[in-house]
Amino acid sequence: MNVSVISLLYIGMMLFLAKLAEEGFSRIGLTPFVGAVVVGIILGNGLMGIIVLNSVVSFITSLGIVFLLFLAGAEEIGGGLEVNSRILISSILLLIIPSISVFYVLYFLHIIGDITILFPLIMTSVGPLTRLLMDTGMSKSEIGRRIFYQGTVVEILSVILFIIFLNTVSLVSLFRVGIEIPLIFLLILLTGPKIAKALESLEGYVKVREIELASVISVILITGYVADVLNFSSAIAALFLGFLLRGYLRDRPDLLEKIRGLTYGFFEPLFFVSIGLYFVKITPFIAGIGFFLALIILLSKFIAGFLGSFIVRENPVAYGLGTSTKGGVDASLLITALVLHRISYEDYSYAALSLTVLAIVVPILFKLEFRGRTGTQQKRPRMNEKIGSMNNFPPPLYAKLEETLRDIINKMTERGARAIIVVDDRLHPMGYITVQQLLEIDPGQYETLRASDLTLNDCITVSLDARIIDVLRKFRSTETPVIAMVDRGFRLAGTIYERELLRVLTTL
């Protein structure tokens, strides 16, 4: 068999085993990152050597880095921030103490190959941090938000430092990169609205199904190509692109969910497995260095976070552990440095091993200390769960047959809805009215006409036991603006709007 056919077998095996491992590790409260990496170590040269990296697997891995960093820019780094002088000062502390500690250890052990390796090791990874805060019920609390803001600032500064040292080989290149970075951010601010507007215009002119998804994916791939041509990292360019398009995607939760499905369903598990595949044979020396390095990183980051908490006036233990989370963008940067030959495979192996150890230890310590203290645990609903089990929907939006059109318009305007369910006195859905219908009526009649005077559109209904995925499919197949959720007596129990449903699914 040729390399391409073998690669298909490899990729299928990796994807299946990675998702099983991610599910298993999630059930015991650990980040899915760890499960997939362990699969990679077992299948790759790190242990059994069953799967060998080839050009096809490496290409899929590189695409995984690009798409993961794009979503990191759009969701993690691109999220809302409340940054003040205290957080900035604390962030500098969170970078300086771990940098000095880790650099000294690497230098003392004579194993440092390139200073670029330092920044993936010392940074805070916001993706796992977000999951950790949700799992402990702290994501909506004040301390949870503070830790998130702090982690995001540290992650941004670490990525910037990584880019600077990745592209620096002399004082001239350092000066050039020092100019390029501000110019890139300026370009983001100036061109972001224009790219988003171009994508919006394309949606209006081209009516081909899934044009939005195809357009965004095309922009991601083209951006990566241009970055490579200009000798810039395609993964880092994708990170900036995600930051650039964060507003565009925030207004389109359905599109964001499709990109998430492609990335987290296909690219993420394969990328995480590949982290393990890049390992060299794990010797006692590499294992010892990896575990020792993990200990130094944890101690230095915890001490830095502990001290930084007094600057921002928050819980020292929560701050110390929360800002020590690993296993996200940091792993992407580590592979980027490896692929660009800035670090060796041996350097990569002990560094990635240390990240994997920390991705296990930090969540365990954090949950032992803080689970359930500040709120109830939140979990993202699964697509096969019952729609009636979701308790964070907005209240039902409906109108009765005797209500005037003016009252109906006020209700729809307040909710920002394109349609409204009409019910009888027993709350049985009778149909729905759309904004388009109301626009075709003389506004002078809004006070006199009632819902019963209009021709109602046939209403799609689902039971409380319907699966979330089936509800989404009904939206796709019928293109209805609203679906009525009914109980066993066919009484209205809730109103489902596709955008609201997707927003709930993507923001938990």
Side-chain angles (χ1 to χ4, degrees):
M1 292 188 291
N2 59 37
V3 172
S4 298
V5 175
I6 293 175
S7 298
L8 292 177
L9 177 64
Y10 283 174
I11 291 169
M13 183 190 307
M14 287 161 55
L15 184 62
F16 178 72
L17 293 177
K19 295 311 292 183
L20 286 181
E22 286 184 358
E23 176 66 19
F25 275 74
S26 294
R27 287 184 179 276
I28 61 176
L30 295 178
T31 173
F33 163 88
V34 179
V37 173
V38 169
V39 169
I41 294 174
I42 294 173
L43 297 180
N45 290 328
L47 193 59
M48 299 176 64
I50 298 174
I51 293 180
V52 180
L53 275 170
N54 56 40
S55 58
V56 179
V57 176
S58 296
F59 175 68
I60 295 295
T61 299
S62 64
L63 282 182
I65 299 174
V66 169
F67 277 83
L68 277 171
L69 286 186
F70 172 80
L71 277 182
E75 296 184 290
E76 298 174 17
I77 295 179
L81 279 177
E82 293 180 12
V83 181
N84 53 43
S85 59
R86 292 179 180 274
I87 289 180
L88 287 175
I89 295 173
S90 178
S91 298
I92 295 173
L93 190 66
L94 282 163
L95 289 173
I96 291 177
I97 293 179
S99 295
I100 295 174
S101 303
V102 175
F103 179 82
Y104 178 78
V105 169
L106 295 176
Y107 181 80
F108 178 77
L109 295 175
H110 304 289
I111 56 175
I112 186 166
D114 193 292
I115 197 172
T116 308
I117 198 176
L118 194 62
F119 304 105
L121 295 177
I122 66 168
M123 71 185 296
T124 299
S125 196
V126 178
L129 173 60
T130 304
R131 176 187 175 89
L132 185 60
L133 294 174
M134 289 192 298
D135 287 346
T136 52
M138 297 176 67
S139 58
K140 302 298 183 182
S141 65
E142 182 63 28
I143 185 174
R145 287 193 291 269
R146 287 283 183 86
I147 295 175
F148 174 81
Y149 300 149
Q150 183 74 78
T152 302
V153 173
V154 172
E155 186 173 61
I156 293 173
L157 293 176
S158 300
V159 169
I160 293 174
L161 290 171
F162 177 83
I163 297 169
I164 292 174
F165 283 90
L166 185 70
N167 295 278
T168 299
V169 293
S170 65
L171 289 177
V172 175
S173 61
L174 177 62
F175 179 74
R176 176 177 55 81
V177 173
I179 295 176
E180 286 179 352
I181 298 301
L183 287 178
I184 289 173
F185 277 103
L186 182 62
L187 186 65
I188 288 174
L189 295 176
L190 294 178
T191 62
K194 294 183 179 180
I195 293 181
K197 190 167 292 185
L199 290 173
E200 291 174 357
S201 300
L202 187 62
E203 294 173 14
Y205 285 109
V206 183
K207 302 300 182 183
V208 178
R209 186 175 178 84
E210 306 294 356
I211 184 62
E212 302 98 331
L213 179 62
S215 300
V216 173
I217 291 177
S218 298
V219 171
I220 295 172
L221 297 177
I222 292 171
T223 300
Y225 168 77
V226 173
D228 277 336
V229 170
L230 298 176
N231 295 318
F232 192 76
S233 170
S234 58
I236 302 301
L239 180 76
F240 288 146
L241 179 65
F243 181 79
L244 183 152
L245 293 180
R246 68 193 188 281
Y248 173 81
L249 293 173
R250 188 163 51 245
D251 294 335
R252 292 164 177 79
D254 51 338
L255 175 60
L256 182 59
E257 184 62 22
K258 292 173 186 174
I259 298 174
R260 277 179 163 176
L262 175 65
T263 303
Y264 297 144
F266 180 72
F267 285 119
E268 182 203 53
L270 293 179
F271 166 66
F272 283 163
V273 169
S274 71
I275 293 174
L277 294 180
Y278 280 106
F279 274 66
V280 297
K281 195 74 175 180
I282 298 180
T283 63
F285 174 76
I286 289 179
I289 294 296
F291 281 98
F292 180 67
L293 189 58
L295 177 63
I296 297 301
I297 295 171
L298 178 58
L299 289 176
S300 62
K301 288 187 67 63
F302 179 80
I303 291 172
F306 191 93
L307 296 176
S309 68
F310 294 102
I311 299 175
V312 296
R313 299 171 183 173
E314 284 293 352
N315 184 298
V317 177
Y319 233 69
L321 290 175
T323 55
S324 301
T325 51
K326 309 292 291 179
V329 174
D330 45 9
S332 302
L333 299 185
L334 203 57
I335 289 187
T336 299
L338 175 66
V339 172
L340 294 178
H341 308 295
R342 295 301 299 267
I343 60 176
S344 68
Y345 280 89
E346 288 75 16
D347 292 338
Y348 169 84
S349 297
Y350 61 69
L353 180 60
S354 67
L355 296 185
T356 305
V357 171
L358 290 172
I360 297 175
V361 173
V362 173
I364 291 176
L365 295 176
F366 195 93
K367 289 175 181 178
L368 286 174
E369 181 69 20
F370 296 103
R371 181 186 289 274
R373 285 196 183 186
T374 58
T376 58
Q377 181 177 355
Q378 293 183 339
K379 292 184 179 179
R380 186 184 301 279
R382 297 179 181 271
M383 288 299 182
N384 61 354
E385 288 185 9
K386 297 178 181 179
I387 190 72
S389 66
M390 299 180 66
N391 55 9
N392 44 7
F393 268 131
L397 177 65
Y398 63 90
K400 293 190 175 180
L401 290 169
E402 64 272 13
E403 289 190 52
T404 66
L405 299 189
R406 175 62 66 190
D407 293 333
I408 292 173
I409 291 172
N410 291 338
K411 287 184 176 182
M412 295 174 69
T413 302
E414 183 179 353
R415 183 79 159 259
R418 296 186 297 117
I420 188 170
I421 300 287
V422 178
V423 299
D424 60 17
D425 292 335
R426 293 177 294 175
L427 292 183
H428 293 164
M430 305 299 294
Y432 67 86
I433 298 172
T434 65
V435 170
Q436 185 61 37
Q437 284 179 277
L438 296 171
L439 292 175
E440 294 173 355
I441 298 173
D442 181 1
Q445 296 182 294
Y446 286 165
E447 307 290 347
T448 56
L449 289 179
R450 302 181 182 278
S452 57
D453 297 324
L454 273 60
T455 301
L456 302 179
N457 300 283
D458 292 335
C459 184
I460 305 295
T461 62
V462 296
S463 69
L464 295 172
D465 295 330
R467 297 186 305 166
I468 295 173
I469 185 62
D470 292 330
V471 175
L472 289 172
R473 286 171 178 163
K474 280 186 179 290
F475 277 115
R476 290 289 185 268
S477 61
T478 64
E479 296 186 353
T480 181
V482 62
I483 292 178
M485 183 166 53
V486 296
D487 59 18
R488 294 183 179 180
F490 202 69
R491 292 181 297 271
L492 185 70
T495 50
I496 309 171
Y497 295 90
E498 185 177 23
R499 176 160 293 190
E500 289 183 350
L501 175 58
L502 290 170
R503 185 176 293 115
V504 170
L505 292 173
T506 57
T507 55
L508 281 178

